[in-house]
Amino acid sequence: MAEVYPINSFSPNTSSPIEDDESLPHVITISPEEGSTEANSANPIEAWLPLTESREGNLWTCVFHLISSGIGVQALLLPVAFASLGWAWGVICLSLGFIWQLYTIWVLVQLHESVPGTRYSRFLQLSMAAFGPKLGKLLALFPVMYLSGASCVVLIINGGKAMELFFNEVRGTSTSALTAVEWFLVFTAMAIVMAQAPNLNSVAGFSLVAAITGISYCTFLWALPVAKGRLPDADYGSSPSSNESGMGRMSDVVNGIGIIMLSFRGHNLILEIQGTLPSGQKIQSRKTMWRAVMISYAIVMIILFPLAIAGFWAYGNKVPSSGGMLKAFSSFHGSSTSNPLKGLIYLLLLLNCLTSYPIYAMPVFDNLELSLISQKKNNKPCSRLVRACSRMFFGGVTFFIAVTFPFLPSLAPLIGAVALPLTLAYPCLMWIAMKMKDCKSGGDVAVWGLNLLLGSLGMALCVLLVVGAVWSLADKGLHANFFKPE
């Protein structure tokens, strides 16, 4: 199979980047007979970058990556969405959103090798191939980097808090030995060490730990409240703030949809995960990848739906918008739960945040190294020292942002709205751009129409969610504790 040079790459026989050309996407293919090792040796730049350095993944490594990126701290806010939407619309929106994003994952898996002899191993690559170098980069670069960077920042904030809570339980005191900034720093230092793994395939072990811990603490946080019973004054009507005005109610509904969309993050990693699989004439990566998607997202569904439904049943609209199920459990059931069990939940959350950090940071590492390589005249890969320094730099930036904006998790609806095109719209529109010439039969035309409809609805929904999130912030205000993490 052929391999692909990364976006904005350059020919190994030249010392300058290829100039932008609307008629020629930044993809260079090499055609060895078969397999990934030969392809990477023929295309050295692909073999130098973290996302494509190793193509020795398998079904189970992909399952681990997909579960760890599909289940995380963002899922703990799903009962908050139900508090805004109510029982019926909450279940409907969660179900439709899950089916919709599963379909767009299928589209991305198919587009990974949609051009014979070419593999698109990065979301940004595929976007530029579909929409052209300039427009594709404009549409996808910010959302991809934003989603990866923001996810790492949120992991630092939640991981630092989980570390503090865990050590307080171990010490048997409510007084913390360190400040919140110091806990963030300790977590970031540990995350940077773990992020020194050379490539995406090499963090499969971390993904396994992240998958196990994510499944475990999510299950604990919905099973324990169900076992202890719902709150006596749990209310399943509209949240109090939504009764003020029609526009206030509408903004709550839009924010609820935004939270649901954020829970389906991970589309910026689908092509990258598939890129770790070998592919050749005898076996294509899309078959293995789709099997991995079906296995992993069956597990994701089993976790997310009970978490949302049972969490809303137990707490009603009393689920805090900041902290979600974790804060609700600590506030309402913490006193009746043993310290070892609470400590276990905090430890699972901490381990999940630590092991998820390298996975979400890999696209940024890949882009950083590509920028560094493109500046070298001798076209050599980054040394271990340069790679380590670039990753420490990124860790320092995410730490600084976490300290500067410790309220970032409370912006979940806005983050979900900005990331929504990657999940629901761009895959459908890229399918149209790349498959339009192949629409010959009635079935192809039907699929083309479906993708046009979903892509248009996705973009319209994105605009609506951004407006609703901004309106909600302007109407209700924001506890913006800059440089003062709590």
Side-chain angles (χ1 to χ4, degrees), residues 173 224 286 314 348 390 395:
T173 178
L224 288 175
R286 67 170 177 262
L348 291 171
S390 66

Side-chain angles (χ1 to χ4, degrees), residues 341-421:
L341 185 54
K342 288 190 293 183
L344 176 61
I345 294 174
Y346 298 144
L347 178 61
L348 291 171
L349 178 59
L350 170 60
L351 291 176
N352 178 264
C353 292
L354 272 175
T355 50
S356 296
Y357 187 95
I359 304 163
Y360 283 101
M362 276 296 168
V364 181
F365 295 160
D366 188 86
N367 198 56
L368 283 174
E369 292 190 28
L370 174 60
S371 300
L372 293 172
I373 291 174
S374 64
Q375 296 174 3
K376 295 183 178 182
K377 295 182 180 180
N378 53 1
N379 299 347
K380 290 185 178 180
C382 293
S383 64
R384 291 184 179 181
L385 178 60
V386 172
R387 173 173 281 185
C389 290
S390 66
R391 297 184 181 192
M392 285 189 288
F393 169 76
F394 174 75
V397 170
T398 53
F399 167 74
F400 176 77
I401 296 175
V403 173
T404 306
F405 306 101
F407 54 89
L408 193 61
S410 63
L411 299 178
L414 183 59
I415 296 175
V418 174
L420 184 141

Side-chain angles (χ1 to χ4, degrees), residues 9 11 22 30 33-34 46-47 49 88 189 197 199 215 241 243 247 267 272 334 342 370 378 380 385 418:
S9 65
S11 169
E22 289 291 343
I30 307 295
E33 292 183 0
E34 188 175 329
E46 287 285 280
L49 296 174
N199 53 66
I215 292 171
S241 61
N243 295 324
M247 192 63 191
H267 278 57
E272 288 77 356
K342 288 190 293 183
L370 174 60
N378 53 1
K380 290 185 178 180
L385 178 60
V418 174

